[in-house]
Amino acid sequence: MTIHLTAAIERFPIAGSFTIARGSKTEAVVVAVQLEQDGLVGRGECVPYARYGETPESTLAAIDALAPALSAGLTRADLQKALPPGAARNALDCAMWDLDARRAGTSVAALTDLSLPQQIETAYTISLGTPDAMADAAARAAHLPLLKVKLGVPGDVERLHAVRAAAPEARLIVDANEGWHGDDLPVLLDICAHCRVELVEQPLPAGQDAALADLDHLVPICADESVHALAGLDELAGRYDAINIKLDKTGGLTEALAVVQRAEELGLQIMVGCMVSTSLSMLPARLLASKARWVDLDGPLLLAEDRPDGLVYRGGEIGTGPSGLWGG
């Protein structure tokens, strides 16, 4: 009955490059976890994020350090206390859910009483670039229902107008990645409203949320970097209209479910998001789709190649069928 842990850093080339206000990258670096018990294998994946002080090496070390505890019977409830919210706990938590479902001969959806919608529309990300480059990318993706536009540096007004002109019928989300300033925010939000943007993610740096409390705005504002897990969530009510739940921030599906419940109690709308990663990261997050007004799980679409048995994407929709990769 002993659980055997295997974890490794893995790299997946990005198709081209991926650029946000904090920089560019050409590969997704993930930490993959396998938990094996009696011939059954549970899998998980996480994306260490330097913005939160994580590296692939430190994340792998934190996971490997729990190997003796896992062999001794560490439970998922124990895991929530053994590691803080973050990438390392996410990979292990999701692997434990997967293993639990396989041992029970059922799916993680059944264990959590969550059901997938018949259709799941996902945002597709338009990487930060020049107005012309972003317009070209938006034109190629204009047939998709929802585009997420990366902004957060000088020249955003021109970028947004260029994208809207190139994709006049697409729904738009804007993600400033903490790159806007309070003095400019009213004007930028008015321009977003004019361009029919339906959500603005994290316009101000985390920690400057108080400035949003008395701000009149037509477009809903969503917290991303300002919200990680349950701790601090209540303080965001009245400042944000929505929160972006990412399993790499909550530390896995277990706390994400608790965050969903509390957000609903606080009247916060829900977006479920991801880092650039494979379907092994998307599948646990996909379970939250029925709770979310916005779904942004396009990570595999940004890769040159996904894992085998990954999710199927068609026309901006995520396949809802079972997967042998994770979750049953």
Side-chain angles (χ1 to χ4, degrees), residues 133-191:
M134 294 181 71
D136 287 344
R140 292 193 298 272
H143 63 289
L144 301 175
L146 179 61
L147 304 182
K148 179 172 177 174
V149 184
K150 289 290 188 178
L151 299 176
V153 295
D156 280 347
V157 173
E158 292 78 11
R159 292 182 180 89
L160 183 55
H161 281 302
V163 168
R164 173 46 82 198
E169 302 302 323
R171 295 162 54 211
L172 296 184
I173 292 172
V174 158
D175 185 2
N177 279 118
E178 305 180 273
W180 290 351
H181 302 284
D183 292 344
D184 302 325
L185 193 54
V187 171
L188 289 168
L189 289 175
D190 284 347
I191 292 169

Short mmCIF file of all heavy atoms in Angstrom, two decimals, residues 133-191:
data_model
loop_
_atom_site.label_atom_id
_atom_site.label_comp_id
_atom_site.label_asym_id
_atom_site.label_seq_id
_atom_site.Cartn_x
_atom_site.Cartn_y
_atom_site.Cartn_z
N ALA A 133 1.52 43.66 -34.80
CA ALA A 133 1.71 42.23 -34.54
C ALA A 133 0.50 41.66 -33.82
O ALA A 133 0.05 40.54 -34.13
CB ALA A 133 2.98 42.00 -33.73
N MET A 134 -0.04 42.40 -32.86
CA MET A 134 -1.20 41.91 -32.13
C MET A 134 -2.44 41.90 -33.02
O MET A 134 -3.29 41.01 -32.90
CB MET A 134 -1.42 42.75 -30.88
CG MET A 134 -0.29 42.59 -29.85
SD MET A 134 -0.52 43.55 -28.34
CE MET A 134 -1.88 42.65 -27.55
N ALA A 135 -2.54 42.89 -33.90
CA ALA A 135 -3.66 42.89 -34.85
C ALA A 135 -3.59 41.68 -35.77
O ALA A 135 -4.61 41.04 -36.06
CB ALA A 135 -3.66 44.19 -35.66
N ASP A 136 -2.39 41.35 -36.25
CA ASP A 136 -2.24 40.17 -37.11
C ASP A 136 -2.65 38.90 -36.37
O ASP A 136 -3.35 38.04 -36.92
CB ASP A 136 -0.79 40.05 -37.57
CG ASP A 136 -0.41 41.10 -38.60
OD1 ASP A 136 -1.33 41.72 -39.18
OD2 ASP A 136 0.80 41.30 -38.83
N ALA A 137 -2.21 38.78 -35.11
CA ALA A 137 -2.58 37.60 -34.31
C ALA A 137 -4.07 37.55 -34.06
O ALA A 137 -4.69 36.48 -34.12
CB ALA A 137 -1.80 37.61 -32.99
N ALA A 138 -4.67 38.69 -33.79
CA ALA A 138 -6.11 38.73 -33.55
C ALA A 138 -6.89 38.40 -34.81
O ALA A 138 -7.92 37.72 -34.75
CB ALA A 138 -6.51 40.11 -33.03
N ALA A 139 -6.41 38.86 -35.95
CA ALA A 139 -7.09 38.54 -37.21
C ALA A 139 -7.09 37.04 -37.47
O ALA A 139 -8.09 36.47 -37.94
CB ALA A 139 -6.43 39.30 -38.37
N ARG A 140 -5.96 36.38 -37.17
CA ARG A 140 -5.89 34.93 -37.37
C ARG A 140 -6.79 34.18 -36.40
O ARG A 140 -7.24 33.06 -36.69
CB ARG A 140 -4.44 34.45 -37.20
CG ARG A 140 -3.50 34.94 -38.30
CD ARG A 140 -2.17 34.18 -38.26
NE ARG A 140 -1.46 34.38 -37.00
CZ ARG A 140 -0.60 35.37 -36.77
NH1 ARG A 140 -0.37 36.27 -37.72
NH2 ARG A 140 0.02 35.48 -35.61
N ALA A 141 -7.06 34.79 -35.25
CA ALA A 141 -7.89 34.13 -34.23
C ALA A 141 -9.30 34.72 -34.16
O ALA A 141 -10.06 34.38 -33.25
CB ALA A 141 -7.21 34.26 -32.86
N ALA A 142 -9.65 35.55 -35.12
CA ALA A 142 -10.93 36.26 -35.06
C ALA A 142 -12.14 35.34 -35.10
O ALA A 142 -13.23 35.73 -34.68
CB ALA A 142 -11.02 37.29 -36.19
N HIS A 143 -11.95 34.11 -35.60
CA HIS A 143 -13.07 33.17 -35.65
C HIS A 143 -13.37 32.55 -34.29
O HIS A 143 -14.42 31.91 -34.11
CB HIS A 143 -12.74 32.05 -36.63
CG HIS A 143 -11.55 31.22 -36.23
ND1 HIS A 143 -10.25 31.70 -36.28
CD2 HIS A 143 -11.47 29.95 -35.74
CE1 HIS A 143 -9.43 30.76 -35.86
NE2 HIS A 143 -10.13 29.70 -35.53
N LEU A 144 -12.46 32.73 -33.33
CA LEU A 144 -12.66 32.18 -31.99
C LEU A 144 -13.58 33.09 -31.18
O LEU A 144 -13.59 34.30 -31.38
CB LEU A 144 -11.32 32.00 -31.29
CG LEU A 144 -10.32 31.08 -32.00
CD1 LEU A 144 -8.98 31.07 -31.28
CD2 LEU A 144 -10.88 29.66 -32.11
N PRO A 145 -14.32 32.53 -30.24
CA PRO A 145 -15.34 33.33 -29.56
C PRO A 145 -14.81 34.32 -28.54
O PRO A 145 -15.45 35.34 -28.28
CB PRO A 145 -16.22 32.27 -28.88
CG PRO A 145 -15.31 31.09 -28.69
CD PRO A 145 -14.39 31.10 -29.88
N LEU A 146 -13.66 34.04 -27.92
CA LEU A 146 -13.18 34.86 -26.82
C LEU A 146 -11.67 35.01 -26.91
O LEU A 146 -10.94 34.01 -26.89
CB LEU A 146 -13.56 34.22 -25.48
CG LEU A 146 -13.12 34.95 -24.20
CD1 LEU A 146 -13.74 36.34 -24.13
CD2 LEU A 146 -13.50 34.13 -22.96
N LEU A 147 -11.18 36.24 -26.98
CA LEU A 147 -9.76 36.52 -27.04
C LEU A 147 -9.33 37.24 -25.77
O LEU A 147 -10.01 38.14 -25.28
CB LEU A 147 -9.42 37.40 -28.26
CG LEU A 147 -9.84 36.87 -29.62
CD1 LEU A 147 -9.39 37.83 -30.72
CD2 LEU A 147 -9.28 35.47 -29.87
N LYS A 148 -8.17 36.83 -25.25
CA LYS A 148 -7.59 37.47 -24.08
C LYS A 148 -6.38 38.27 -24.55
O LYS A 148 -5.41 37.69 -25.06
CB LYS A 148 -7.18 36.43 -23.04
CG LYS A 148 -6.53 37.02 -21.80
CD LYS A 148 -6.33 35.94 -20.75
CE LYS A 148 -5.62 36.47 -19.52
NZ LYS A 148 -5.55 35.47 -18.45
N VAL A 149 -6.43 39.57 -24.36
CA VAL A 149 -5.44 40.49 -24.91
C VAL A 149 -4.46 40.89 -23.82
O VAL A 149 -4.84 41.51 -22.83
CB VAL A 149 -6.12 41.73 -25.51
CG1 VAL A 149 -5.09 42.65 -26.16
CG2 VAL A 149 -7.20 41.33 -26.50
N LYS A 150 -3.20 40.54 -23.99
CA LYS A 150 -2.17 40.90 -23.03
C LYS A 150 -1.73 42.34 -23.24
O LYS A 150 -1.30 42.73 -24.33
CB LYS A 150 -0.97 39.96 -23.16
CG LYS A 150 -1.23 38.54 -22.68
CD LYS A 150 -1.37 38.49 -21.17
CE LYS A 150 -1.42 37.06 -20.66
NZ LYS A 150 -1.52 36.98 -19.19
N LEU A 151 -1.83 43.15 -22.19
CA LEU A 151 -1.43 44.54 -22.21
C LEU A 151 -0.55 44.81 -20.98
O LEU A 151 -0.07 43.90 -20.35
CB LEU A 151 -2.65 45.46 -22.23
CG LEU A 151 -3.60 45.31 -23.44
CD1 LEU A 151 -4.82 46.21 -23.27
CD2 LEU A 151 -2.88 45.62 -24.73
N GLY A 152 -0.36 46.10 -20.66
CA GLY A 152 0.36 46.43 -19.44
C GLY A 152 1.63 47.23 -19.64
O GLY A 152 2.43 47.37 -18.70
N VAL A 153 1.84 47.80 -20.83
CA VAL A 153 3.01 48.63 -21.10
C VAL A 153 2.54 49.85 -21.91
O VAL A 153 1.42 49.86 -22.44
CB VAL A 153 4.10 47.86 -21.88
CG1 VAL A 153 4.66 46.73 -21.05
CG2 VAL A 153 3.57 47.33 -23.20
N PRO A 154 3.37 50.91 -22.00
CA PRO A 154 2.96 52.08 -22.79
C PRO A 154 2.55 51.70 -24.21
O PRO A 154 3.15 50.82 -24.84
CB PRO A 154 4.22 52.95 -22.78
CG PRO A 154 4.90 52.59 -21.49
CD PRO A 154 4.66 51.12 -21.32
N GLY A 155 1.51 52.36 -24.70
CA GLY A 155 0.99 52.06 -26.03
C GLY A 155 -0.20 51.13 -26.02
O GLY A 155 -0.65 50.69 -27.10
N ASP A 156 -0.77 50.86 -24.85
CA ASP A 156 -1.88 49.90 -24.78
C ASP A 156 -3.12 50.37 -25.51
O ASP A 156 -3.89 49.55 -26.02
CB ASP A 156 -2.21 49.61 -23.31
CG ASP A 156 -1.26 48.62 -22.68
OD1 ASP A 156 -0.51 47.97 -23.42
OD2 ASP A 156 -1.28 48.47 -21.43
N VAL A 157 -3.36 51.67 -25.53
CA VAL A 157 -4.55 52.17 -26.23
C VAL A 157 -4.50 51.79 -27.71
O VAL A 157 -5.49 51.30 -28.28
CB VAL A 157 -4.67 53.70 -26.05
CG1 VAL A 157 -5.82 54.24 -26.92
CG2 VAL A 157 -4.90 54.05 -24.59
N GLU A 158 -3.33 52.00 -28.32
CA GLU A 158 -3.18 51.65 -29.72
C GLU A 158 -3.29 50.14 -29.93
O GLU A 158 -3.89 49.69 -30.92
CB GLU A 158 -1.82 52.14 -30.24
CG GLU A 158 -1.68 53.67 -30.31
CD GLU A 158 -1.43 54.33 -28.96
OE1 GLU A 158 -1.15 53.60 -27.98
OE2 GLU A 158 -1.49 55.57 -28.89
N ARG A 159 -2.76 49.36 -29.01
CA ARG A 159 -2.85 47.90 -29.12
C ARG A 159 -4.31 47.44 -29.08
O ARG A 159 -4.74 46.61 -29.88
CB ARG A 159 -2.05 47.23 -28.00
CG ARG A 159 -0.55 47.40 -28.11
CD ARG A 159 0.15 46.65 -26.96
NE ARG A 159 1.58 46.81 -27.07
CZ ARG A 159 2.27 47.81 -26.52
NH1 ARG A 159 1.64 48.73 -25.79
NH2 ARG A 159 3.58 47.90 -26.68
N LEU A 160 -5.04 47.98 -28.13
CA LEU A 160 -6.42 47.54 -27.96
C LEU A 160 -7.28 47.92 -29.16
O LEU A 160 -8.08 47.11 -29.65
CB LEU A 160 -7.00 48.14 -26.67
CG LEU A 160 -8.42 47.72 -26.30
CD1 LEU A 160 -8.54 46.20 -26.23
CD2 LEU A 160 -8.82 48.35 -24.97
N HIS A 161 -7.12 49.13 -29.66
CA HIS A 161 -7.87 49.55 -30.84
C HIS A 161 -7.51 48.68 -32.04
O HIS A 161 -8.38 48.32 -32.85
CB HIS A 161 -7.62 51.02 -31.15
CG HIS A 161 -8.39 51.97 -30.29
ND1 HIS A 161 -9.77 51.96 -30.21
CD2 HIS A 161 -7.98 52.96 -29.46
CE1 HIS A 161 -10.18 52.89 -29.38
NE2 HIS A 161 -9.11 53.53 -28.90
N ALA A 162 -6.23 48.32 -32.17
CA ALA A 162 -5.80 47.50 -33.30
C ALA A 162 -6.41 46.10 -33.23
O ALA A 162 -6.86 45.55 -34.24
CB ALA A 162 -4.27 47.40 -33.33
N VAL A 163 -6.43 45.54 -32.03
CA VAL A 163 -7.02 44.20 -31.86
C VAL A 163 -8.52 44.24 -32.14
O VAL A 163 -9.05 43.36 -32.84
CB VAL A 163 -6.74 43.67 -30.44
CG1 VAL A 163 -7.59 42.43 -30.15
CG2 VAL A 163 -5.26 43.33 -30.28
N ARG A 164 -9.21 45.25 -31.62
CA ARG A 164 -10.65 45.31 -31.84
C ARG A 164 -10.97 45.47 -33.32
O ARG A 164 -11.92 44.85 -33.84
CB ARG A 164 -11.24 46.46 -31.03
CG ARG A 164 -12.71 46.74 -31.28
CD ARG A 164 -13.55 45.46 -31.30
NE ARG A 164 -13.92 44.99 -29.99
CZ ARG A 164 -14.34 43.75 -29.76
NH1 ARG A 164 -14.39 42.86 -30.75
NH2 ARG A 164 -14.70 43.37 -28.55
N ALA A 165 -10.18 46.27 -34.03
CA ALA A 165 -10.42 46.44 -35.46
C ALA A 165 -10.17 45.14 -36.23
O ALA A 165 -10.86 44.84 -37.21
CB ALA A 165 -9.53 47.56 -36.01
N ALA A 166 -9.19 44.36 -35.78
CA ALA A 166 -8.85 43.11 -36.48
C ALA A 166 -9.83 41.99 -36.17
O ALA A 166 -9.96 41.05 -36.97
CB ALA A 166 -7.44 42.69 -36.09
N ALA A 167 -10.49 42.06 -35.01
CA ALA A 167 -11.44 41.02 -34.61
C ALA A 167 -12.72 41.69 -34.11
O ALA A 167 -13.02 41.70 -32.91
CB ALA A 167 -10.84 40.13 -33.53
N PRO A 168 -13.49 42.28 -35.03
CA PRO A 168 -14.61 43.13 -34.61
C PRO A 168 -15.75 42.41 -33.89
O PRO A 168 -16.48 43.02 -33.12
CB PRO A 168 -15.10 43.75 -35.93
CG PRO A 168 -14.61 42.82 -36.99
CD PRO A 168 -13.32 42.27 -36.49
N GLU A 169 -15.87 41.11 -34.10
CA GLU A 169 -16.99 40.37 -33.51
C GLU A 169 -16.59 39.55 -32.29
O GLU A 169 -17.46 39.06 -31.56
CB GLU A 169 -17.62 39.45 -34.55
CG GLU A 169 -18.13 40.18 -35.79
CD GLU A 169 -19.14 41.24 -35.45
OE1 GLU A 169 -19.97 41.02 -34.53
OE2 GLU A 169 -19.11 42.31 -36.09
N ALA A 170 -15.31 39.37 -32.04
CA ALA A 170 -14.87 38.53 -30.93
C ALA A 170 -15.13 39.20 -29.59
O ALA A 170 -15.04 40.43 -29.46
CB ALA A 170 -13.38 38.22 -31.07
N ARG A 171 -15.46 38.39 -28.62
CA ARG A 171 -15.49 38.90 -27.24
C ARG A 171 -14.05 39.10 -26.79
O ARG A 171 -13.16 38.32 -27.14
CB ARG A 171 -16.20 37.90 -26.33
CG ARG A 171 -17.67 37.70 -26.66
CD ARG A 171 -18.21 36.43 -26.04
NE ARG A 171 -17.95 36.38 -24.61
CZ ARG A 171 -17.75 35.25 -23.92
NH1 ARG A 171 -17.73 34.08 -24.55
NH2 ARG A 171 -17.54 35.29 -22.62
N LEU A 172 -13.81 40.14 -25.98
CA LEU A 172 -12.47 40.47 -25.54
C LEU A 172 -12.36 40.53 -24.03
O LEU A 172 -13.24 41.07 -23.35
CB LEU A 172 -12.02 41.83 -26.10
CG LEU A 172 -11.87 42.00 -27.61
CD1 LEU A 172 -11.31 43.39 -27.92
CD2 LEU A 172 -10.97 40.92 -28.20
N ILE A 173 -11.27 39.97 -23.53
CA ILE A 173 -10.80 40.16 -22.16
C ILE A 173 -9.44 40.84 -22.25
O ILE A 173 -8.65 40.53 -23.14
CB ILE A 173 -10.66 38.80 -21.43
CG1 ILE A 173 -12.02 38.16 -21.19
CG2 ILE A 173 -9.91 38.95 -20.12
CD1 ILE A 173 -11.93 36.74 -20.66
N VAL A 174 -9.18 41.74 -21.33
CA VAL A 174 -7.89 42.41 -21.28
C VAL A 174 -7.17 42.00 -20.00
O VAL A 174 -7.77 41.95 -18.93
CB VAL A 174 -8.07 43.95 -21.31
CG1 VAL A 174 -6.86 44.67 -20.73
CG2 VAL A 174 -8.32 44.42 -22.73
N ASP A 175 -5.89 41.68 -20.11
CA ASP A 175 -5.07 41.34 -18.95
C ASP A 175 -3.87 42.27 -18.91
O ASP A 175 -2.96 42.18 -19.73
CB ASP A 175 -4.59 39.88 -19.03
CG ASP A 175 -3.84 39.43 -17.79
OD1 ASP A 175 -3.70 40.24 -16.85
OD2 ASP A 175 -3.38 38.28 -17.75
N ALA A 176 -3.86 43.18 -17.92
CA ALA A 176 -2.78 44.16 -17.81
C ALA A 176 -1.60 43.64 -16.99
O ALA A 176 -0.57 44.32 -16.93
CB ALA A 176 -3.30 45.45 -17.19
N ASN A 177 -1.74 42.49 -16.34
CA ASN A 177 -0.63 41.90 -15.58
C ASN A 177 0.06 42.91 -14.67
O ASN A 177 1.28 43.04 -14.66
CB ASN A 177 0.39 41.25 -16.52
CG ASN A 177 -0.02 39.87 -16.98
OD1 ASN A 177 -0.21 39.64 -18.18
ND2 ASN A 177 -0.20 38.94 -16.05
N GLU A 178 -0.74 43.68 -13.93
CA GLU A 178 -0.25 44.64 -12.93
C GLU A 178 0.46 45.84 -13.54
O GLU A 178 1.14 46.59 -12.86
CB GLU A 178 0.71 43.98 -11.93
CG GLU A 178 0.17 42.76 -11.21
CD GLU A 178 1.16 42.17 -10.25
OE1 GLU A 178 1.99 41.33 -10.69
OE2 GLU A 178 1.15 42.53 -9.05
N GLY A 179 0.28 46.06 -14.85
CA GLY A 179 1.09 47.04 -15.55
C GLY A 179 0.54 48.45 -15.65
O GLY A 179 1.24 49.34 -16.15
N TRP A 180 -0.69 48.70 -15.19
CA TRP A 180 -1.27 50.04 -15.30
C TRP A 180 -1.05 50.83 -14.02
O TRP A 180 -0.72 50.27 -12.97
CB TRP A 180 -2.76 49.94 -15.64
CG TRP A 180 -3.00 49.45 -17.04
CD1 TRP A 180 -2.08 49.26 -18.03
CD2 TRP A 180 -4.27 49.10 -17.60
NE1 TRP A 180 -2.69 48.81 -19.17
CE2 TRP A 180 -4.03 48.70 -18.95
CE3 TRP A 180 -5.57 49.08 -17.13
CZ2 TRP A 180 -5.06 48.29 -19.80
CZ3 TRP A 180 -6.60 48.66 -17.96
CH2 TRP A 180 -6.34 48.27 -19.29
N HIS A 181 -1.25 52.14 -14.11
CA HIS A 181 -1.07 53.03 -12.98
C HIS A 181 -2.41 53.65 -12.60
O HIS A 181 -3.27 53.90 -13.46
CB HIS A 181 -0.05 54.12 -13.31
CG HIS A 181 1.29 53.58 -13.70
ND1 HIS A 181 2.18 53.08 -12.79
CD2 HIS A 181 1.88 53.47 -14.91
CE1 HIS A 181 3.28 52.67 -13.42
NE2 HIS A 181 3.11 52.89 -14.70
N GLY A 182 -2.57 53.92 -11.32
CA GLY A 182 -3.84 54.41 -10.82
C GLY A 182 -4.33 55.67 -11.50
O GLY A 182 -5.53 55.82 -11.77
N ASP A 183 -3.43 56.61 -11.81
CA ASP A 183 -3.83 57.86 -12.44
C ASP A 183 -4.41 57.65 -13.83
O ASP A 183 -5.26 58.43 -14.27
CB ASP A 183 -2.64 58.82 -12.51
CG ASP A 183 -2.18 59.30 -11.14
OD1 ASP A 183 -2.96 59.15 -10.18
OD2 ASP A 183 -1.05 59.81 -11.04
N ASP A 184 -3.93 56.63 -14.52
CA ASP A 184 -4.39 56.36 -15.89
C ASP A 184 -5.61 55.45 -15.94
O ASP A 184 -6.23 55.30 -17.01
CB ASP A 184 -3.26 55.70 -16.69
CG ASP A 184 -2.01 56.55 -16.74
OD1 ASP A 184 -2.13 57.78 -16.79
OD2 ASP A 184 -0.90 55.98 -16.72
N LEU A 185 -5.93 54.83 -14.82
CA LEU A 185 -6.92 53.76 -14.83
C LEU A 185 -8.30 54.20 -15.32
O LEU A 185 -8.91 53.50 -16.15
CB LEU A 185 -7.01 53.13 -13.45
CG LEU A 185 -7.76 51.81 -13.35
CD1 LEU A 185 -7.20 50.78 -14.33
CD2 LEU A 185 -7.69 51.26 -11.93
N PRO A 186 -8.85 55.33 -14.87
CA PRO A 186 -10.19 55.70 -15.36
C PRO A 186 -10.27 55.83 -16.87
O PRO A 186 -11.23 55.36 -17.50
CB PRO A 186 -10.44 57.04 -14.66
CG PRO A 186 -9.62 56.99 -13.41
CD PRO A 186 -8.37 56.26 -13.82
N VAL A 187 -9.26 56.45 -17.47
CA VAL A 187 -9.26 56.62 -18.92
C VAL A 187 -9.14 55.27 -19.62
O VAL A 187 -9.85 54.98 -20.59
CB VAL A 187 -8.12 57.56 -19.37
CG1 VAL A 187 -7.98 57.56 -20.89
CG2 VAL A 187 -8.38 58.97 -18.86
N LEU A 188 -8.24 54.41 -19.13
CA LEU A 188 -8.04 53.10 -19.75
C LEU A 188 -9.29 52.25 -19.64
O LEU A 188 -9.65 51.53 -20.58
CB LEU A 188 -6.84 52.40 -19.11
CG LEU A 188 -5.48 53.00 -19.47
CD1 LEU A 188 -4.39 52.43 -18.56
CD2 LEU A 188 -5.14 52.75 -20.92
N LEU A 189 -9.97 52.32 -18.51
CA LEU A 189 -11.20 51.54 -18.35
C LEU A 189 -12.30 52.07 -19.27
O LEU A 189 -13.10 51.28 -19.81
CB LEU A 189 -11.66 51.57 -16.90
CG LEU A 189 -10.79 50.76 -15.92
CD1 LEU A 189 -11.28 50.98 -14.49
CD2 LEU A 189 -10.81 49.28 -16.26
N ASP A 190 -12.36 53.38 -19.46
CA ASP A 190 -13.35 53.93 -20.40
C ASP A 190 -13.07 53.46 -21.83
O ASP A 190 -14.00 53.14 -22.58
CB ASP A 190 -13.31 55.46 -20.34
CG ASP A 190 -14.00 56.02 -19.11
OD1 ASP A 190 -14.72 55.26 -18.43
OD2 ASP A 190 -13.81 57.22 -18.82
N ILE A 191 -11.80 53.40 -22.19
CA ILE A 191 -11.44 52.91 -23.53
C ILE A 191 -11.80 51.44 -23.67
O ILE A 191 -12.29 51.00 -24.72
CB ILE A 191 -9.95 53.16 -23.80
CG1 ILE A 191 -9.69 54.67 -23.92
CG2 ILE A 191 -9.49 52.44 -25.07
CD1 ILE A 191 -8.24 55.04 -23.93
#
